[in-house]
Amino acid sequence: MHQTSTVASTVNNQNRRTRILILGNGFDLDFGFQTTYHRFCDSFFKSKELEVCTNSPLYNFLKKKYKENPNKEWYDLEKEIREYVTRVLNKEEEFLEVEDRQFMAVLRHNLWMTLKIFAHITPVQQTEGYVIKNQSEDPTLINPQQFVLYKNCFAYKICKDFIDNPSTIDKIISFNYTPLVNYIQNIVAETVKYDIEAFNKKMKELDLENRFTPVHISHSGCLSPNENLGKYSISDSSPLGICGIDDNIKLPENMKFFQKSEQFDEISVREDVINYINNADDLIIFGHSLGLCDSDYFKDLFCKLFSEYSENKRVTIVTYDNKKPILKNIATLTGKKESELLFSKHIHKLHFLYTKHLDNMLEYNDFLNSFNQ
């Protein structure tokens, strides 16, 4: 159930700068988790559950595109769904509503489930002994899904700094399917040396119930209640990953289920997120590609950023080692050329940090200091 955030008023508070942390898949990758769409599809297309989906034109389209994908490390699932929808509208691909609805429900369920599992496989050590040890010390403190987080990365350090200095971040918005709250709980538990009273005090101070919003988790199956489609009918208990296309493509009613906006349990969640993004003074965008399928969230932000109306706004983008793909996506969002962005007098509002080059923590410390001023 969506709750009105206690920090909502700070976005419009003129007496202080508001800071929003936005998380994309690159955040999980920095932790070392193998949560790319490529890894997901490698597992997903081998699943026996897909036997019920072989008549779906979308299923066959995506599987073919995945097998032909030249980049064995990256596959943009939502971009391919968008291409399929576009081709259907242009009458270049077959579309079967019931079959494609069924496949999208299977896909969304597996996205949430599989990538959440992938985020519990740590590359640094096996976790079983660690879990058993700490559960035996205080089973009320340690989550059953406890796992060890890789510490020598920017993702860990930004979580730790937030725990040590909660006022640094007003709102955390995650586009991932993975359990950020578990990450935070694990770091807090270790920080307070597994003292249950100190743990509860710190978690109350962090106020994640109000401060954290997982954008792409839903309980809506995007299937009509009267459609008897077996285990992938609407389920109030099984979360699904919100996956699909943006609202920029106008769809007939029988294709609305492809859109992300149709999947929210409460439309106010989406509206609140857009409001937070557009009104914050400082934004840290960590590991989000800013691709077209999330344009609903970021278009207004970057159009305003490269205008006369956001002189004091700052956007810091944390990525691995290359800003060019992100600049290309920002150019698409704003309707400008990349060269126009690079030579704009407003380019100083946009900053890049590269996790590949953060072995020397001086750059990281300078970054944190800039937000703590």
Side-chain angles (χ1 to χ4, degrees):
M1 180 66 68
H2 174 68
Q3 296 185 21
T4 302
S5 171
T6 58
V7 301
S9 60
T10 66
V11 173
N12 295 313
N13 186 339
Q14 299 301 315
N15 297 322
R16 65 183 298 276
R17 294 184 69 82
T18 53
R19 303 177 182 97
I20 305 295
L21 173 62
I22 297 170
L23 304 180
N25 187 237
F27 178 80
D28 288 333
L29 296 178
D30 195 47
F31 264 128
F33 300 132
Q34 300 300 310
T35 53
T36 62
Y37 277 145
H38 178 272
R39 278 294 301 271
F40 164 73
C41 289
D42 193 48
S43 169
F44 178 63
F45 284 122
K46 297 174 184 175
S47 172
K48 291 184 178 179
E49 289 182 280
L50 290 178
E51 292 175 358
V52 300
C53 300
T54 53
N55 291 328
S56 162
L58 174 60
Y59 160 74
N60 290 294
F61 177 86
L62 293 178
K63 186 173 184 179
K64 182 174 183 290
K65 295 283 281 189
Y66 174 69
K67 287 183 175 180
E68 295 173 351
N69 180 36
N71 187 344
K72 299 306 177 186
E73 297 300 322
W74 183 254
Y75 177 74
D76 195 334
L77 178 64
E78 289 185 323
K79 181 180 178 182
E80 300 297 357
I81 294 173
R82 198 178 197 276
E83 181 180 341
Y84 169 77
V85 170
T86 302
R87 291 176 66 86
V88 167
L89 294 175
N90 292 335
K91 302 189 183 307
E92 297 171 349
E93 289 286 342
E94 180 186 18
F95 166 64
L96 297 176
E97 180 184 355
V98 173
E99 288 78 359
D100 279 355
R101 277 179 178 268
Q102 170 78 337
F103 172 71
M104 284 299 291
V106 175
L107 175 69
R108 286 162 178 157
H109 172 74
N110 278 271
L111 267 172
W112 172 80
M113 181 177 64
T114 306
L115 294 185
K116 187 174 180 181
I117 291 170
F118 282 179
H120 286 82
I121 303 173
T122 170
V124 289
Q125 72 180 84
Q126 295 295 320
T127 64
E128 184 178 2
Y130 182 80
V131 175
I132 292 172
K133 172 181 178 294
N134 288 305
Q135 282 183 322
S136 64
E137 290 178 2
D138 194 330
T140 63
L141 177 61
I142 303 300
N143 190 297
Q145 296 175 318
Q146 176 80 32
F147 55 96
V148 180
L149 291 169
Y150 177 55
K151 295 181 180 179
N152 190 28
C153 64
F154 191 31
Y156 182 93
K157 288 174 172 58
I158 204 168
C159 286
K160 184 65 165 62
D161 186 73
F162 165 64
I163 291 167
D164 294 339
N165 306 283
S167 63
T168 303
I169 302 295
D170 294 300
K171 190 77 174 175
I172 301 174
I173 296 170
S174 176
F175 286 81
N176 298 338
Y177 309 113
T178 48
L180 175 73
V181 173
N182 281 16
Y183 301 171
I184 299 295
Q185 286 177 330
N186 293 344
I187 299 171
V188 169
E190 187 176 52
T191 300
V192 301
K193 303 186 186 306
Y194 305 98
D195 180 304
I196 186 65
E197 190 172 319
F199 174 85
N200 289 335
K201 181 179 179 181
K202 173 55 73 172
M203 292 305 300
K204 184 177 181 180
E205 180 186 4
L206 295 177
D207 191 24
L208 290 178
E209 184 176 357
N210 287 310
R211 202 189 300 256
F212 171 61
T213 298
V215 182
H216 281 172
I217 302 297
S218 173
H219 288 84
S220 173
C222 294
L223 297 173
S224 301
N226 60 352
E227 288 179 314
N228 183 15
L229 296 178
K231 67 180 289 188
Y232 294 105
S233 300
I234 279 183
S235 168
D236 292 330
S237 59
S238 179
L240 304 175
I242 290 181
C243 174
I245 68 172
D246 50 286
D247 287 348
N248 290 329
I249 298 180
K250 302 303 179 185
L251 298 178
E253 199 62 36
N254 66 336
M255 295 181 68
K256 290 282 189 181
F257 65 90
F258 284 116
Q259 291 179 324
K260 290 182 180 182
S261 60
E262 294 292 310
Q263 298 168 54
F264 285 96
D265 300 319
E266 297 180 49
I267 194 63
S268 60
V269 174
R270 179 171 174 267
E271 292 173 345
D272 285 351
V273 167
I274 293 172
N275 184 56
Y276 282 125
I277 290 173
N278 287 338
N279 290 289
D281 297 306
D282 298 315
L283 293 102
I284 310 166
I285 302 176
F286 195 132
H288 197 297
S289 66
L290 305 174
L292 196 56
C293 287
D294 280 325
S295 61
D296 298 341
Y297 298 97
F298 298 106
K299 181 177 180 178
D300 290 345
L301 164 68
F302 285 103
C303 285
K304 185 177 180 181
L305 190 72
F306 285 92
S307 73
E308 307 294 336
Y309 305 104
S310 62
E311 191 57 41
N312 295 320
K313 188 182 286 287
R314 295 185 300 176
V315 176
T316 300
I317 295 178
V318 183
T319 189
Y320 182 61
D321 68 348
N322 187 1
K323 67 181 180 182
K324 189 171 182 178
I326 295 177
L327 280 173
K328 182 178 180 180
N329 286 341
I330 294 174
T332 301
L333 290 176
T334 57
K336 299 179 182 291
K337 296 180 180 178
E338 292 174 62
S339 58
E340 288 183 80
L341 298 181
L342 289 170
F343 293 103
S344 167
K345 65 180 181 180
H346 304 289
I347 191 67
H348 68 278
K349 304 171 189 174
L350 182 63
H351 307 270
F352 284 87
L353 281 179
Y354 304 103
T355 58
K356 182 179 180 180
H357 307 306
L358 282 172
D359 294 332
N360 183 335
M361 283 295 111
L362 289 176
E363 187 178 2
Y364 167 76
N365 290 331
D366 288 344
F367 165 74
L368 286 182
N369 288 336
S370 73
F371 277 88
N372 289 328
Q373 290 173 355

